[in-house]
Amino acid sequence: MTNPFLPLEKIATGRVRTHPIPRRKPPETEQNLTQRQRHAQKLQADIASIQPIQPLDSESASPLDISAPMPFLIRADPSLQQRDQLKSCGLEVVTTLPDDYAVVAAEDLSQLQDKLTLFLDESRGGGKVAGIWEILDGQERLQYLLSPGLFRQWEQLPDHQPYTVDIGVACLGVQTQIPSPPQQQEREVDERYLRRFDRWQKQCEQQRWQWQVVREERLESLRQFIQRDDGQITSLIDGKVVDAADLADSFTVRIALTGAGLRELALNYPYVFELKEVSQRKPSAHSRKAANGLFPLEI
């Protein structure tokens, strides 16, 4: 009689390979994929409306540079609001907001236009456009950027009134975020894991260096922007930021400028994610000396 229980000749070892379950797309994204022409035409019209906003009744010393990056508001699939998801469309996420909104800045809208063309042609590389649900102009973002006190005063800011405000500036750029540190896998020898960990550390160092470069560029661009309206950064001493939340991907500084300059800054400086007024205070003689003559204006 034949033995039905034959021994196995080979036992497979190693991890079982599985395929991830595709993430279900939000209904708006699915609808845009089925109505490509309609969605593309809407975004084209939205993009055409994005222009630098020159404040009304402003006596700015110089006109705006129309080639500068433009800030605006988008509503998009939250999974796309990760910086490494939208950067292929030429969009830098400055800050994420409730209800799927985000403030973004674009150096050049041509990348987004190119993605729209790919989306219409159903070509590879255009799929993310379906997840960009709406594009709004830069003025819409003010309700999220301004502190409640500034927002209440916004329509009545006197052009020549001096103000002291704290401004938060994003400086991540369109660079990829630092990934989480690698975890040692089961049965992975220490030598191989340490090689992977060393590569991760070098990637982190390179990324931090790139962030520092962007940070210095944005600090200088902010200085030049507010100087057009005779504003100044009052929290710099010997080129160092003080009284600032100095993070890897953002910084906060205190500036003094007029109402006209404040309006132009809020409307057109692309990387601002927060603007709040500073309470009135009179600097002492000691603080004047310590600040080397730079101190907040009285308001």
Side-chain angles (χ1 to χ4, degrees), residues 109-119 126:
L109 291 173
S110 64
Q111 286 183 262
L112 184 54
Q113 295 278 14
D114 291 342
K115 292 297 181 182
L116 272 171
T117 300
L118 294 175
F119 174 73

Side-chain angles (χ1 to χ4, degrees), residues 11-288:
I11 298 177
T13 60
R15 289 192 169 196
V16 176
R17 296 184 178 272
T18 59
H19 297 284
I21 300 174
R23 184 183 69 87
R24 185 166 184 170
K25 294 181 176 63
E28 285 192 69
T29 300
E30 294 282 8
Q31 183 181 26
N32 293 335
L33 286 169
T34 59
Q35 300 179 12
R36 290 177 182 259
Q37 186 74 31
R38 175 178 172 273
H39 182 56
Q41 287 177 348
K42 180 182 181 301
L43 290 189
Q44 288 280 14
D46 291 344
I47 291 172
S49 70
I50 299 173
Q51 298 294 334
I53 306 169
Q54 181 69 47
L56 297 176
D57 302 324
S58 173
E59 297 178 6
S60 178
S62 59
L64 294 172
D65 180 4
I66 61 174
S67 65
M70 288 177 287
F72 50 97
L73 197 64
I74 66 170
R75 191 169 64 87
D77 181 344
S79 68
L80 292 184
Q81 294 188 28
Q82 301 173 15
R83 293 166 176 82
D84 56 352
Q85 290 292 310
L86 287 172
K87 70 176 185 179
S88 64
C89 298
L91 304 179
E92 174 184 343
V93 176
V94 175
T95 186
T96 56
L97 302 167
D99 302 322
D100 303 329
Y101 286 97
V103 176
V104 298
E107 290 277 354
D108 187 350
L109 291 173
S110 64
Q111 286 183 262
L112 184 54
Q113 295 278 14
D114 291 342
K115 292 297 181 182
L116 272 171
T117 300
L118 294 175
F119 174 73
L120 271 174
D121 294 341
E122 300 188 33
S123 300
R124 182 182 178 87
K128 290 186 178 65
V129 170
I132 302 175
W133 301 332
E134 188 177 8
I135 297 176
L136 301 98
D137 65 42
Q139 196 156 359
E140 295 282 350
R141 78 197 210 291
L142 293 181
Q143 59 185 307
Y144 301 103
L145 303 185
L146 300 177
S147 64
L150 275 180
F151 191 69
R152 284 193 300 269
Q153 303 174 56
W154 187 249
E155 298 298 331
Q156 290 83 32
L157 289 179
D159 275 2
H160 301 290
Q161 172 73 31
Y163 287 89
T164 300
V165 297
D166 288 342
I167 176 174
V169 177
C171 54
L172 184 64
V174 292
Q175 304 297 330
T176 303
Q177 297 182 73
I178 292 178
S180 301
Q183 301 297 315
Q184 188 166 10
Q185 300 173 357
E186 186 180 356
R187 299 182 182 179
E188 182 180 23
V189 297
D190 291 344
E191 183 180 0
R192 184 177 184 277
Y193 169 69
L194 289 174
R195 285 198 303 268
R196 292 197 302 117
F197 191 84
D198 182 61
R199 287 196 299 269
W200 174 80
Q201 283 189 314
K202 291 178 179 177
Q203 182 181 359
C204 291
E205 291 171 3
Q206 177 68 15
Q207 188 63 72
R208 290 192 183 99
W209 178 81
Q210 291 175 342
W211 281 347
Q212 183 65 20
V213 171
V214 174
R215 180 185 181 280
E216 296 301 321
E217 290 175 348
R218 302 229 167 135
L219 188 57
E220 181 59 26
S221 73
L222 175 63
R223 189 199 311 274
Q224 293 179 9
F225 194 101
I226 65 174
Q227 281 178 346
R228 299 172 334 126
D229 288 282
D230 297 323
Q232 63 176 338
I233 297 176
T234 64
S235 60
L236 284 178
I237 300 177
D238 298 328
K240 297 180 181 178
V241 177
V242 297
D243 295 330
D246 188 9
L247 305 176
D249 60 353
S250 67
F251 63 85
T252 302
V253 293
R254 184 160 293 178
I255 62 177
L257 73 175
T258 63
L262 178 57
R263 280 199 302 272
E264 185 170 317
L265 178 69
L267 289 170
N268 290 299
Y269 187 70
Y271 308 117
V272 56
F273 64 84
E274 181 182 46
L275 267 173
K276 59 183 180 180
E277 73 277 23
V278 178
S279 300
Q280 180 175 351
R281 64 186 179 94
K282 294 183 178 181
S284 65
H286 172 74
S287 65
R288 288 170 185 258

